[in-house]
Amino acid sequence: MSGKLYLVPTPIGNLGDVSRRSVDILERVDFIAAEDTRVTAKLLNHLGLKKPMVIYHRHNCARAGGAIVARLLGGEACALVTDAGTPGISDPGEKLVALCAANGVEAEAIPGPCALTVALSVSGLSTRRFTFEGFLPVKKKNRTIHLNQLDGEERTMVFYEAPHKLAGTLRDLADAFGPERRLVVCRELTKLHEEVWRTTLGEAWERYTAQEPRGEFVLVVEGCVPTEEAPDEEGALMRVEQLRRTGLSLKAASSQAAQEFGMQKRRLYELALDK
Ligand code: SAM
């Protein structure tokens, strides 16, 4: 085990979710890069492990990242862990992996807990196609741009949010997608007070403006239902007339125009006859 970065997921609540392979790697690496060493120390304690740690979080990632990569280039092995979940998903892990890639250092991801996939899989909404939106921007202007980009989004959308910003985010989502849009609120996943609430954006906004949200939240929002465009019957009839002037029979002209306008041949023929 040398010169490699291991991305080790940690439980998002239930300590039983740390895998055997993750424990094995934490045991064997030379050092651990942790978002908060106090949080990771608790986990290591629980696992009966002791390991040197360095801090790697969003405020020091530029400096700390360089130092970690230098050690990896020197042949050491490092496990990157965050406070909870999979490193790189809505946390600075992404930057360290990019730095490793830029310096020719190998990175290996261990599968494991991630609030995104737990919420999505329990949501009951379509998982065939989805988009992970993470945390919405805090600044109003950037948030509006982001939400405008999601206008007409048909895929299921997954958002992370902190409890103190939840009500405001629900209001903005309800404004953007309508209060009737289906939502699954996934709260405190894998923990004692886990709750999966299948509701709507409007209803959830009402609840969390009346009652202070507690715990950690993932919001899974249904994509918009694709609207079937009504065929342009007027345009199709005009096209029939145009084709008739070239000498085609009513039947042949209706058939060709129907094909061009995505209409049923019979329906257009009957409309043309009525005219
Ligand atoms: N890397 C982590 C992952 O793999 O999910 C996410 C880190 S992000 C900084 C933290 C956010 O994840 C929280 O604000 C919340 O939206 C979500 N989250 C983490 N643990 C959760 C849990 N047990 N239940 C619900 N949401 C959770």
Side-chain angles (χ1 to χ4, degrees):
M1 184 173 264
S2 68
K4 196 165 172 181
L5 179 74
Y6 292 87
L7 303 160
V8 179
T10 54
I12 57 168
N14 190 321
L15 289 177
D17 291 339
V18 65
S19 75
R20 259 212 234 166
R21 184 162 168 232
S22 294
V23 177
D24 183 47
I25 283 164
L26 290 172
E27 201 165 16
R28 286 164 55 207
V29 290
D30 297 294
F31 67 105
I32 295 172
E35 192 175 7
D36 182 334
T37 50
R38 288 162 304 180
V39 173
T40 303
K42 277 189 201 152
L43 178 69
L44 293 181
N45 239 358
H46 168 79
L47 300 171
L49 298 177
K50 267 206 158 80
K51 195 60 66 176
M53 284 195 269
V54 298
I55 300 175
Y56 181 81
H57 54 50
R58 69 191 169 103
H59 302 297
N60 79 342
C61 56
R63 188 168 32 86
I68 293 167
V69 169
R71 288 180 70 172
L72 294 170
L73 287 169
E76 289 185 80
C78 169
L80 174 68
V81 299
T82 54
D83 289 352
T86 298
I89 305 301
S90 276
D91 61 38
E94 166 193 344
K95 292 205 170 97
L96 188 55
V97 179
L99 196 62
C100 284
N103 285 279
V105 174
E106 206 184 328
E108 187 173 325
I110 318 302
C114 179
L116 155 67
T117 49
V118 178
L120 187 65
S121 60
V122 80
S123 70
L125 297 179
S126 172
T127 56
R128 203 169 59 84
R129 295 182 70 205
F130 64 88
T131 161
F132 177 55
E133 298 301 318
F135 294 95
L136 278 174
V138 179
K139 282 197 181 141
K140 196 168 168 40
K141 188 177 158 212
N142 295 345
R143 179 173 281 227
T144 306
I145 293 171
H146 191 128
L147 287 171
N148 284 344
Q149 285 168 351
L150 292 174
D151 188 31
E153 177 58 71
E154 291 174 13
R155 294 170 293 179
T156 300
M157 295 167 274
V158 186
F159 300 89
Y160 281 173
E161 195 46 287
H164 62 284
K165 295 190 194 138
L166 188 73
T169 292
L170 287 168
R171 180 201 56 220
D172 294 345
L173 292 174
D175 281 349
F177 306 130
E180 301 305 323
R181 182 70 69 89
R182 287 210 293 163
L183 160 76
V184 181
V185 179
C186 300
R187 189 173 78 86
E188 295 284 85
L189 291 165
T190 79
K191 299 185 193 176
L192 185 63
H193 298 292
E194 170 165 340
E195 181 188 16
V196 176
W197 180 32
R198 299 170 211 286
T199 180
T200 61
L201 285 170
E203 216 175 33
W205 176 39
E206 261 176 43
R207 185 206 267 196
Y208 288 117
T209 39
Q211 155 195 331
E212 193 190 333
R214 285 181 196 281
E216 297 197 273
F217 291 84
V218 180
L219 304 174
V220 189
V221 181
E222 185 173 46
C224 78
V225 180
T227 47
E228 262 195 31
E229 262 185 43
D232 176 9
E233 291 184 344
E234 272 309 301
L237 281 169
M238 279 164 66
R239 177 70 177 139
V240 172
E241 276 173 31
Q242 200 182 38
L243 290 168
R244 290 273 288 144
R245 286 198 289 274
T246 68
L248 284 188
S249 68
L250 186 65
K251 200 167 179 193
S254 305
S255 170
Q256 184 174 326
Q259 210 165 14
E260 290 174 14
F261 282 75
M263 280 180 72
Q264 281 187 333
K265 285 181 198 170
R266 196 184 171 79
R267 162 89 185 143
L268 185 57
Y269 180 65
E270 281 168 1
L271 282 174
L273 266 184
D274 281 352
K275 225 179 167 191

